[in-house]
Structure formats: structure tokens, C-alpha cells
Amino acid sequence: KGSNHTDEPEPGEFLMLDGVGPFSTPSIDDGCTYEMCAIDVASDVSWASTTVSHTTAHWIAFASETILQCAAAGRTVKRMRVDRSPDFNASANEGVFDETTFKNKMLSKHNVLVEFAPRNRAEGVCHMEQNHDPIARDAEIYLQRCGRGRAFVLCARRYAR
């Protein structure tokens, strides 16, 4: 009753990250087959970048750029939740993504806390999943209306964003 405390994050404070792909046909634009995505939970502002592979280095670069864009808009990212893909593992020796390296780099470089959503549990990154649906639908409609093939999927997703 007398408290103004809320658990809702301020815009820019809490990001969710997820990946889409790999797509079977490389993009006609840049040859990429995978999209890295982020969304600001409070404002629904989203970012995306394409890549051929989604290694730890690619995710660090993408997350860092997103954090810097938030800072340029006067926002301070405090934490992020990352969808744990089947190829995200606790050790770099086990897969293409090293969770520990990513988490440590975000903390040391940007003072951002990282948590990983449980594997195969989309509700862990629900804002990101909700963002994917209309983008995927819009991209598919665009491809159908323009008579374009699968090589245009990532271009259409970028256009839909």
C-alpha cells in the first residue's frame, strides 16, 4: 500500500536473447543461415544480426553491440536471459557456445548479469518467442507476395522487424 516498489524492469534494464535457424538455404544478401535476436522486455524494442555460425564470439559481439546501443539511448542493461539452445553447453569442449565465457565476458565488460533459460522451455524467453511469431508470419507473407524463395528468408525477417 505505501510502497512504490515494482518488479517490472525499466526500459533497457532486462534483455532476452534467442537465435533462429539455421535455415537450410543461405541468405542471398550475405550467405548467412542464422539470426541472433534480442528484445528489451520493458519496451519490446528488438535487435537482430545474422551469421553463418553462432559461436561464443559471435554472441559476445552481438550482445555487446546491443548493450552499447541501449547505452547510446540512455539505457543501462543490468541483466539478460539467454535461451539455452541444444548446442549451448557448459564447456567450450562440448559445443560451439561456452556459457561460462559468455557470462563472464558480459559481467566483466558490461557489468551485466546473465542467466540461461532452461533448455527446451520457451517460456524462459517468452518475450523473445512472442516477438518471433509476428516476424516469422510477416516474413512468410512477404516471400509469398513477392514470389521469393527461401534464400530471402533472413532479408524478409529483417524487413519485418
Side-chain angles (χ1 to χ4, degrees), residues 15 54-55 62 65 83 96-97 100 110 119 125 140 148:
L15 304 179
H54 54 117
T55 64
F62 173 67
E65 178 60 29
D83 188 25
V96 298
F97 186 88
T100 303
H110 302 290
R119 187 170 279 117
V125 287
E140 290 296 329
R148 299 292 183 188

Side-chain angles (χ1 to χ4, degrees), residues 124-141:
V125 287
C126 57
H127 286 81
M128 193 73 260
E129 296 295 339
Q130 289 171 340
N131 186 260
H132 287 319
D133 287 342
I135 288 172
R137 286 190 194 109
D138 288 350
E140 290 296 329
I141 290 167

Side-chain angles (χ1 to χ4, degrees), residues 56-131:
T56 307
H58 287 110
W59 277 104
I60 288 171
F62 173 67
S64 293
E65 178 60 29
T66 303
I67 291 166
L68 292 175
Q69 288 183 22
C70 287
R75 305 295 184 189
T76 302
V77 178
K78 294 181 179 177
R79 68 185 181 115
M80 60 177 55
R81 183 176 300 145
V82 182
D83 188 25
R84 184 177 274 137
S85 163
D87 51 2
F88 284 19
N89 294 292
S91 167
N93 297 329
E94 298 173 13
V96 298
F97 186 88
D98 181 356
E99 292 178 3
T100 303
T101 299
F102 182 82
K103 187 182 259 191
N104 291 342
K105 184 63 86 171
M106 291 300 105
L107 187 58
S108 67
K109 188 174 180 182
H110 302 290
N111 200 31
V112 172
L113 297 174
V114 175
E115 58 190 58
F116 291 93
R119 187 170 279 117
N120 299 320
R121 300 293 299 258
E123 62 270 19
V125 287
C126 57
H127 286 81
M128 193 73 260
E129 296 295 339
Q130 289 171 340
N131 186 260

Side-chain angles (χ1 to χ4, degrees), residues 9-76:
E10 291 293 318
E13 283 185 351
F14 180 28
L15 304 179
M16 288 185 178
L17 280 69
D18 193 11
V20 180
F23 294 97
S24 57
T25 305
S27 174
I28 195 160
D29 183 35
D30 55 11
C32 291
T33 56
Y34 190 84
E35 184 178 56
M36 298 176 290
C37 309
I39 192 165
D40 174 10
V41 170
S43 71
D44 286 339
V45 171
S46 65
W47 298 264
S49 180
T50 56
T51 183
V52 174
S53 62
H54 54 117
T55 64
T56 307
H58 287 110
W59 277 104
I60 288 171
F62 173 67
S64 293
E65 178 60 29
T66 303
I67 291 166
L68 292 175
Q69 288 183 22
C70 287
R75 305 295 184 189
T76 302

